[in-house]
Amino acid sequence: MPETTEPTRLTFAIISHPDAGKTTITEKILLFGGAIHTAGAVKSGKNLRSTVSDFMAMEKERGISISTSVMGFNYRGRRFNLLDTPGHADFSEDTYRTLTAVDSALMVIDSVKGVEERTRQLCEIARMRATPIMTFMNKLDREGKDPVELLDETERELDLKVSPLSWPIGQGSEFKGVYSLRTGRIVLFKPHQTQDFPELVIEDIGDPKLDQAVGEHLARKLREEMELVRGVHPEFRVEDYLSGRVTPVFFGSALNNFGVQELIDALAEMAPAPLPKPTVEGGLIDPDFKEMSGFVFKIHANLDPRHRDRVAYFRICSGKFERNEMYYHTGTGKSFRSSNPTAFMAQNRDIIDVAYPGDIIGFHDTGTLKIGDTLTQGAKFRFKGIPRFAPQIFRIILNTDPLKSKQFQKGLEQLAEEGVVQLFIRPQTNQRILGVVGQLQLEVVQYRLEHEYGASCKYEPVDFTTACWITCPDAKKLDTFLQRFSSRIVFDKDERPVFLAENRWVLDRTLKDFPEIKGYATSDLEDPRNSLR
Ligand code: G4P
């Protein structure tokens, strides 16, 4: 960041399976970072049951923060911007989008359960952009999996090299502390003590002080494990973490504040500064680029009737953002000015005057901004879009009140733009098909159509559970394919054909039978990694 004394930003999100401890670790990071002073300030979204009324009640109670809020604080010379992501799996798409706005991720794994489904999915998304990932193995105070096994499982399941930077001494009721491979310090765990853990500094792991502190048996075990670790894992290099090839691993217990200091220090020291971001035109925009630029990664409509507004979440990628400046909307060519951009800290929304690369700000907007839109000071480029991912649940949506068909159409289009659902058109019948990741999204659409647009709808089932975007260099062959499978073909909002299938087997089989047709797991058709063959 040129010409400023601003602290370098550290913009990151936490990825984990529900219950692994994301809320607890978020709170502890805020506590250690000095952003909050008491525990209990961060609410978990996990208690949200799968009904729309629970969701709405929660939205009202928590205001903007349920889907994505940004928590910012300064720590050790850096500005941490921690982007919260929805706790409910039905809103995974929000999380996917949030991951495009961060420069690194913290992965929390429950050491009792190991790598779980949601972690696997989110890790895969993070890796699509080679996002650096730091790992925290949580709940070491419980009898969990063996640390060697946990590391093996992480490597195997996530196809990601691991490099332990700390190592647990015992586990569960025998948990005695953590040895830092970086500093040689041993922090000794005291159950029910939440801060100021005693420390032992040893020059060498053979030091008899270790046996006195943790007992002979665990000291011997640690020495053996260290020998094994050093034999198996090459020495950690920060470049490998920054390039997304290796994840440094820390062990601890978020609930007991244990290992959190090491983690937050490692983040401050190693996590990347704002990274250059790719554009549709092919280049990268460096944070040092003098013009302000950034993109919208999320639109959130506040459901609280007292504050009915839409907030566009904007990630600054370069230059300096200034309130009331006129910016250029590269999609429409129109100008855009924001007189009340806001910063987020949990539930508070304060107006900000300036912001820098890595910062996330909110624009109150009446509908001019869409997900993926780029704003600049005049430069004509667009940041690479946020791909849409193949949904898993599909429903035909029908308007049930013919007098309200305009409202129905407008509402549906806006909700699709906001990213609440994906809207597809089936050309054969002109039906509208919604695609979602979770059932709750469908209920939200129905509720919001009724309450915000005065329209009513009903759903009809379809047999599909998976989809892929398709292309073919030969327009004639593509046309033949589209004709042949017309009952399975829909078009997305950019009018690109999407093939729907009952299951993955049918999808793979069809692509195999038509080798000239290319299938893609996301709407990003330029990225060869999305190709299904
Ligand atoms: P999430 O946001 O990833 O869903 O997880 P959350 O932090 O809410 O943690 C899930 C449960 O795991 C919580 O217990 C929490 O207290 C517990 N937990 C988090 N970190 C640790 C840890 O280091 N050790 C142990 N033993 N437990 C941990 P809960 O009973 O579901 O909720 P609560 O009543 O404690 O709030």
Side-chain angles (χ1 to χ4, degrees):
M1 264 181 284
E3 304 164 32
T4 79
T5 49
E6 281 292 317
T8 307
R9 270 46 177 172
L10 193 174
T11 305
F12 72 114
I14 300 179
I15 54 180
S16 68
H17 192 85
D19 264 358
K22 183 168 75 90
T23 311
T24 313
I25 194 89
T26 299
E27 180 164 281
K28 297 305 161 79
I29 287 176
L30 295 179
L31 211 52
F32 278 75
I36 54 170
H37 300 288
T38 47
V42 180
K43 287 186 193 148
S44 163
K46 80 186 158 91
N47 297 328
L48 196 60
R49 287 195 303 275
S50 291
T51 72
V52 76
S53 55
D54 284 344
F55 171 74
M56 297 306 161
M58 200 82 168
E59 277 276 327
K60 279 186 194 148
E61 189 192 312
R62 299 183 60 198
I64 198 82
S65 61
I66 194 160
S67 297
T68 307
S69 67
V70 186
M71 292 157 268
F73 59 92
N74 290 347
Y75 181 76
R76 285 191 43 193
R78 295 192 72 172
R79 170 92 185 155
F80 279 56
N81 289 325
L82 169 54
L83 275 65
D84 192 14
T85 50
H88 201 291
D90 281 12
F91 298 100
S92 330
E93 281 206 80
D94 268 350
T95 308
Y96 300 164
R97 283 191 283 261
T98 303
L99 288 177
T100 64
V102 299
D103 299 301
S104 66
L106 170 63
M107 176 162 73
V108 179
I109 293 177
D110 180 337
S111 64
V112 182
K113 295 191 179 141
V115 175
E116 294 172 273
E117 185 50 32
R118 188 99 187 276
T119 315
R120 200 173 290 123
Q121 285 166 3
L122 295 173
C123 185
E124 210 170 290
I125 307 290
R127 296 191 58 208
M128 284 172 68
R129 292 197 173 198
T131 307
I133 301 173
M134 204 174 271
T135 301
F136 186 72
M137 296 289 182
N138 192 25
K139 307 196 187 180
L140 262 289
D141 58 318
R142 296 183 53 193
E143 310 292 339
K145 295 191 180 188
D146 180 75
V148 175
E149 190 190 326
L150 272 173
L151 293 183
D152 281 353
E153 186 178 319
T154 309
E155 279 207 347
R156 200 176 53 241
E157 297 274 329
L158 303 178
D159 192 20
L160 181 65
K161 290 258 168 285
V162 298
S163 183
L165 292 189
S166 75
W167 198 261
I169 306 173
Q171 251 171 304
S173 56
E174 276 216 315
F175 185 44
K176 291 280 190 267
V178 162
Y179 169 61
S180 166
L181 278 81
R182 290 201 303 158
T183 60
R185 286 181 339 155
I186 292 178
V187 183
L188 296 168
F189 177 67
K190 289 258 181 262
H192 314 301
Q193 177 170 331
T194 50
Q195 235 140 9
D196 300 325
F197 294 99
E199 259 189 34
L200 178 73
V201 183
I202 51 168
E203 293 291 320
D204 183 287
I205 201 158
D207 193 327
K209 273 197 282 183
L210 178 67
D211 301 62
Q212 285 155 21
V214 303
E216 265 175 44
H217 162 65
L218 287 177
R220 190 170 56 244
K221 188 162 179 276
L222 177 68
R223 289 180 189 117
E224 282 165 13
E225 284 171 341
M226 279 307 93
E227 211 164 291
L228 189 83
V229 164
R230 294 211 166 96
V232 173
H233 300 285
E235 194 150 331
F236 173 71
R237 297 186 324 154
V238 79
E239 308 89 89
D240 295 334
Y241 155 63
L242 293 175
S243 64
R245 283 196 297 270
V246 171
T247 179
V249 180
F250 295 84
F251 292 84
S253 165
L255 188 64
N256 293 292
N257 289 354
F258 199 80
V260 179
Q261 186 76 55
E262 286 72 22
L263 180 72
I264 186 171
D265 286 348
L267 278 167
E269 222 172 278
M270 293 194 268
L275 298 172
K277 294 282 174 196
T279 66
V280 173
E281 290 72 17
L284 288 171
I285 297 298
D286 198 88
D288 285 338
F289 178 53
K290 62 182 187 327
E291 276 194 28
M292 193 306 289
S293 71
F295 63 91
V296 175
F297 64 94
K298 182 180 164 58
I299 304 276
H300 188 92
N302 201 337
L303 299 172
D304 184 342
R306 286 168 304 173
H307 309 279
R308 180 62 63 71
D309 54 8
R310 276 162 57 120
V311 177
Y313 283 71
F314 184 74
R315 147 93 197 207
I316 295 162
C317 300
S318 70
K320 178 179 173 185
F321 174 88
E322 286 177 89
R323 178 182 168 196
N324 284 326
E325 262 310 292
M326 199 63 100
Y327 291 112
Y328 173 69
H329 186 302
T330 65
T332 60
K334 291 188 184 148
S335 39
F336 178 90
R337 187 208 298 267
S338 176
S339 53
N340 56 353
T342 51
F344 304 100
M345 167 60 205
Q347 318 221 338
N348 307 332
R349 297 197 236 164
D350 302 320
I351 292 185
I352 50 118
D353 291 317
V354 289
Y356 298 93
D359 283 342
I360 311 295
I361 55 176
F363 295 131
H364 294 267
D365 177 51
T366 50
T368 38
L369 294 174
K370 292 208 272 280
I371 289 173
D373 283 355
T374 298
L375 296 180
T376 67
Q377 280 178 277
K380 290 194 169 88
F381 62 81
R382 280 173 303 147
F383 284 104
K384 208 156 172 213
I386 297 157
R388 267 159 289 137
F389 296 84
Q392 288 141 18
I393 301 174
F394 298 88
R395 292 282 182 279
I396 296 168
I397 182 166
L398 297 169
N399 174 21
T400 48
D401 183 351
L403 296 175
K404 295 281 172 63
S405 66
K406 256 199 178 141
Q407 288 88 332
F408 172 78
Q409 190 157 332
K410 181 171 172 228
L412 201 52
E413 275 167 18
Q414 287 199 349
L415 293 176
E417 257 165 33
E418 225 179 80
V420 180
V421 277
Q422 290 186 53
L423 175 62
F424 301 102
I425 305 287
R426 199 183 216 171
Q428 199 196 25
T429 54
N430 227 5
Q431 278 165 327
R432 294 181 180 86
I433 295 188
L434 299 190
V436 293
V437 179
Q439 182 71 29
L440 195 47
Q441 282 172 279
L442 292 172
E443 294 177 36
V444 168
V445 168
Q446 195 160 22
Y447 180 96
R448 290 188 55 188
L449 275 177
E450 196 180 321
H451 288 81
E452 289 172 42
Y453 300 92
S456 55
C457 72
K458 68 173 184 184
Y459 296 117
E460 273 180 10
V462 276
D463 274 344
F464 308 117
T465 65
T466 187
C468 68
W469 277 259
I470 51 173
T471 61
C472 177
D474 183 331
K476 225 170 140 196
K477 282 190 174 147
L478 180 63
D479 209 42
T480 312
F481 183 85
L482 297 182
Q483 298 291 338
R484 170 158 182 177
F485 292 104
S486 59
S487 63
R488 298 168 167 278
I489 298 293
V490 291
F491 286 83
D492 73 1
K493 73 173 181 52
D494 299 317
E495 290 174 26
R496 289 179 302 195
V498 175
F499 176 83
L500 307 181
E502 291 82 346
N503 53 48
R504 190 57 202 247
W505 186 87
V506 173
L507 190 142
D508 288 342
R509 178 81 232 181
T510 312
L511 290 176
K512 208 165 165 208
D513 290 347
F514 294 84
E516 66 280 9
I517 301 291
K518 270 191 138 186
Y520 292 84
T522 80
S523 64
D524 185 356
L525 309 184
E526 282 153 41
D527 190 337
R529 283 173 301 181
N530 290 329
S531 171
L532 292 173
R533 238 193 333 260

